């Protein structure tokens, strides 16, 4: 027989064969704190003793290497594939590690190929959770990321309280649904601040709960606008990130749902 | 050495095809390697042979073809090959490369990222398209069928 067959698809199946559960973290647009949320979920799960991986597929807005201070990573190879660096217990792999902070001027089909390549050659081993930092929006990379991952996967969608974020978040939810990805929940980031005991809404009135109701997805709640968060990120200090009010909120409203959903999935299989 | 993960993908794909066609074995596989991926063809061949023995129970005859890389500038239309691209990669990743040494560079792992590192040699544009020679794929498979025939 003769036709062009892509051997990477079987390679991907093998690399994911011991991965229990995949959480895709997506957003309608950039700048809503998607990557930081994904990183925080991964760190919190790891601190609870789970085996956790974090995969950054945000080709154009890759910040995971900066958050984890691994921009100087040189690929480490093994017979089973590239070995992700382990930072505070989290196995981290990122397309950004190969782009080295340069712009990535690549087109649609090539984006899919780049993602396929990385999925095929990264050795995850046994993972309880793989958290995936999706590119924002509804482009080729989002479609590729969601369709290429051969494991039970759910999506968490992050938005900020604004009319614009609401429109694009709903587009993302609808696309993921069409791709047969279950929506685990919607979270509204940078939603509130406590000032002198009073709650203020720096970006405007929260709109997520209403949107979640309209789209029949679970509203997980609000994450705070937390100035100490950007300090922790500037210092490239993931441990400090975990001590922020933001991380405590992620631990309260997102992490228990992620753990619970994995347990349901694992008990079914 | 990510040659081994690609080889594993090839062998697992052969296994899948064998099962689908209810074949007894695989006689030969023809694998095309894009020049851009800078794959070590000997390692890839040996890895496919070793893994096919483990996974399929018999050695497979492996034929590796190389596809020359062709890159095209979407701005001025200039087409160029691997050597012009590699000159630029070398300047960034291994300016002191000695003959016979390997130049470790990210394009080896993710060939599509070539446009992150090189510019059109003629006009300097970063809008570079890969026309040919990117990754690794299976071009043909000769199966060993139950009655000893081949396909
Ligand atoms: Zn040009």
């Amino acid at each position: 027989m003769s036709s062009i067959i892509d051997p990477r698809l079987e390679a991907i199946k093998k690399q994911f064969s011991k991965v229990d559960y995949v959480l895709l973290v997506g957003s309608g647009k950039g700048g809503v704190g998607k990557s930081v949320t994904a990183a925080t979920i991964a760190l919190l799960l790891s601190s609870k003793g789970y085996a956790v991986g974090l995969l950054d597929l945000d080709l154009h807005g890759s910040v995971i290497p900066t958050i984890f201070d691994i921009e100087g990573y040189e690929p480490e190879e093994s017979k089973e594939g590239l070995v992700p660096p382990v930072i505070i217990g989290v196995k981290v792999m990122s397309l950004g590690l190969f782009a080295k902070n340069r712009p990535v001027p690549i087109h649609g089909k090539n984006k899919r190929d780049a993602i396929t390549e990385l999925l095929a050659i990264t050795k995850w081993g046994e993972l309880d959770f793989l958290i995936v930092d999706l590119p924002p929006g509804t482009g080729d990379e989002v479609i590729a990321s969601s369709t290429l991952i051969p494991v039970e996967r759910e999506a968490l969608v992050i938005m900020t309280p604004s009319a614009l974020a609401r429109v694009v978040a709903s587009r993302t939810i609808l696309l993921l649904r069409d791709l047969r990805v279950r929506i685990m929940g919607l979270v509204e980031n940078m939603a509130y601040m406590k000032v002198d005991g009073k709650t203020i809404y720096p970006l405007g009135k929260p709109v997520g709960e209403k949107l979640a109701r309209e789209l029949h997805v679970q509203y997980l709640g609000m994450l705070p606008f937390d100035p100490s968060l950007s300090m922790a990120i500037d210092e490239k200090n993931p441990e400090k990130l975990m001590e922020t009010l933001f991380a405590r909120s992620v631990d309260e409203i997102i992490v228990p749902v992620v753990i619970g959903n994995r347990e349901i999935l694992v008990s079914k299989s | 050495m990510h040659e081994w993960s690609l080889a594993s993908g090839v062998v697992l794909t052969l296994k899948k095809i064998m099962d689908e066609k209810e074949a007894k074995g695989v006689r030969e596989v023809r694998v095309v390697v894009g020049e851009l991926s800078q794959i070590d063809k000997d390692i890839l061949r040996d890895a496919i042979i070793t893994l096919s023995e483990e996974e399929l129970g018999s050695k497979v005859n492996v034929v590796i073809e190389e596809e020359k890389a062709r890159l095209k500038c979407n701005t001025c239309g200039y087409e160029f090959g691997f050597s012009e691209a590699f000159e630029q990669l070398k300047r960034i990743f291994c300016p002191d490369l000695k003959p016979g040494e390997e130049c470790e560079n990210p394009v080896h792992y993710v060939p599509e990222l070539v446009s992150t590192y090189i510019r059109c040699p003629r006009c300097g544009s970063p809008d570079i398209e890969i026309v040919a020679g990117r990754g690794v794929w299976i071009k043909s498979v000769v199966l060993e069928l139950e009655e000893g025939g081949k396909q």
Side-chain angles (χ1 to χ4, degrees):
Chain A
M1 54 179 291
S2 180
S3 58
I4 291 168
I5 305 158
D6 188 345
R8 295 176 302 180
L9 303 177
E10 290 301 307
I12 292 174
K13 273 190 210 160
K14 190 180 169 204
Q15 301 291 18
F16 277 86
S17 61
K18 291 174 188 154
V19 177
D20 274 358
Y21 172 95
V22 174
L23 180 69
L24 308 171
V25 181
S27 69
K29 63 186 196 72
V32 302
K34 169 181 59 64
S35 302
V36 179
T37 307
T40 306
I41 295 170
L43 287 164
L44 288 165
L45 287 168
S46 168
S47 74
K48 294 178 200 305
Y50 292 104
V52 183
L54 175 62
L55 173 62
D56 165 23
L57 296 177
D58 190 349
L59 203 52
H60 299 292
S62 175
V63 292
I64 295 292
T66 312
I67 296 176
F68 284 85
D69 198 14
I70 48 170
E71 287 159 304
Y73 166 79
E74 296 293 335
E76 185 193 333
E77 300 195 31
S78 75
K79 272 197 174 178
E80 291 85 30
L82 288 183
V83 182
V86 181
I87 311 295
I88 324 180
V90 179
K91 292 182 182 173
V92 186
M93 187 47 85
S94 161
L95 272 174
L97 293 176
F98 300 92
K100 310 256 174 216
N101 276 337
R102 289 166 181 251
V104 185
I106 68 176
H107 295 269
K109 165 139 192 343
N110 285 341
K111 283 183 196 164
R112 186 187 178 88
D113 263 324
I115 290 170
T116 309
E117 203 72 36
L118 191 66
L119 293 175
I121 65 176
T122 304
K123 176 194 175 183
W124 291 111
E126 282 183 32
L127 289 185
D128 297 317
F129 297 94
L130 178 67
I131 312 299
V132 182
D133 183 10
L134 285 184
T138 49
D140 295 308
E141 315 97 288
V142 178
I143 297 173
S145 315
S146 332
T147 51
L148 286 167
I149 293 175
V151 178
E152 202 64 60
R153 65 242 187 288
E154 297 189 307
L156 171 70
V157 176
I158 318 275
M159 63 179 291
T160 48
S162 78
L164 178 64
R166 193 187 122 94
V167 174
V168 287
S170 84
R171 244 182 255 151
T172 300
I173 290 172
L174 295 175
L175 174 77
L176 288 168
R177 256 195 201 146
D178 284 347
L179 295 168
R180 305 264 181 280
V181 177
R182 208 184 81 84
I183 307 294
M184 186 203 101
L186 179 69
V187 160
E188 211 160 13
N189 192 18
M190 305 179 201
Y192 67 93
M193 261 177 116
K194 293 261 194 228
V195 181
D196 300 331
K198 267 197 292 188
T199 303
I200 60 165
Y201 301 98
L203 298 184
K205 237 178 83 190
V207 290
E209 192 163 11
K210 183 157 177 277
L211 177 66
R213 216 170 25 240
E214 283 166 15
L215 296 173
H216 306 285
V217 301
Q218 192 182 350
Y219 180 67
L220 299 178
M222 292 186 279
L223 296 170
F225 188 92
D226 182 358
S228 67
L229 187 59
S230 58
M231 272 156 62
I233 293 165
D234 287 346
E235 286 177 33
K236 303 185 176 186
N237 188 341
E239 271 165 16
K240 214 164 184 180
L241 176 65
M242 301 250 280
E243 292 160 9
T244 57
L245 174 65
F246 172 82
R248 280 205 299 280
S249 306
V250 170
D251 202 21
E252 258 168 45
I253 70 171
I254 302 175
V255 170
V257 185
V258 180
I259 293 174
N261 284 12
R262 173 186 168 270
E263 267 161 23
I264 294 168
L265 274 173
V266 171
S267 70
K268 265 196 243 165
S269 63
Chain B
M1 270 246 285
H2 82 297
E3 279 79 0
W4 277 86
S5 18
L6 296 171
S8 161
V10 169
V11 173
L12 292 170
T13 307
L14 293 178
K15 193 164 189 237
K16 192 176 155 211
I17 295 171
M18 249 176 79
D19 292 346
E20 278 168 14
K21 306 271 176 189
E22 293 176 13
K24 226 165 56 182
V26 177
R27 201 169 292 172
E28 181 190 283
V29 62
R30 197 169 279 266
V31 177
V32 182
V33 173
E35 194 182 11
L36 214 46
S37 63
Q38 304 157 69
I39 294 286
D40 187 318
K41 295 189 276 295
D42 292 331
I43 297 182
L44 181 67
R45 179 187 300 109
D46 292 349
I48 296 174
I49 292 171
T50 307
L51 292 174
S52 67
E53 260 188 302
E54 285 172 26
E55 291 282 334
L56 314 175
S58 68
K59 269 193 193 174
V60 172
N61 184 30
V62 181
V63 183
I64 307 241
E65 288 177 20
E66 186 178 68
E67 185 185 73
K68 291 284 170 200
R70 259 177 45 235
L71 300 158
K72 188 184 165 199
C73 171
N74 281 325
T75 305
C76 76
Y78 181 63
E79 282 205 27
F80 54 106
F82 186 68
S83 58
E84 274 180 276
F86 189 65
E87 275 311 309
Q88 298 188 38
L89 290 178
K90 222 164 65 178
R91 232 173 286 149
I92 301 170
F93 294 104
C94 40
D96 306 316
L97 191 72
K98 294 182 186 66
E101 278 180 1
E102 268 184 50
C103 178
E104 273 281 326
N105 64 79
V107 178
H108 169 54
Y109 301 102
V110 189
E112 293 71 28
L113 290 181
V114 70
S115 53
T116 302
Y117 296 104
I118 69 160
R119 298 292 173 259
C120 169
R122 187 193 272 171
C123 77
S125 165
D127 191 2
I128 306 289
E129 193 184 314
I130 305 171
V131 181
R134 50 154 311 280
V136 170
W137 70 92
I138 299 171
K139 192 177 170 190
S140 69
V141 179
V142 179
L143 293 171
E144 199 124 358
L145 295 176
E146 214 50 76
E147 60 277 20
K150 64 182 229 172
Q151 189 179 345

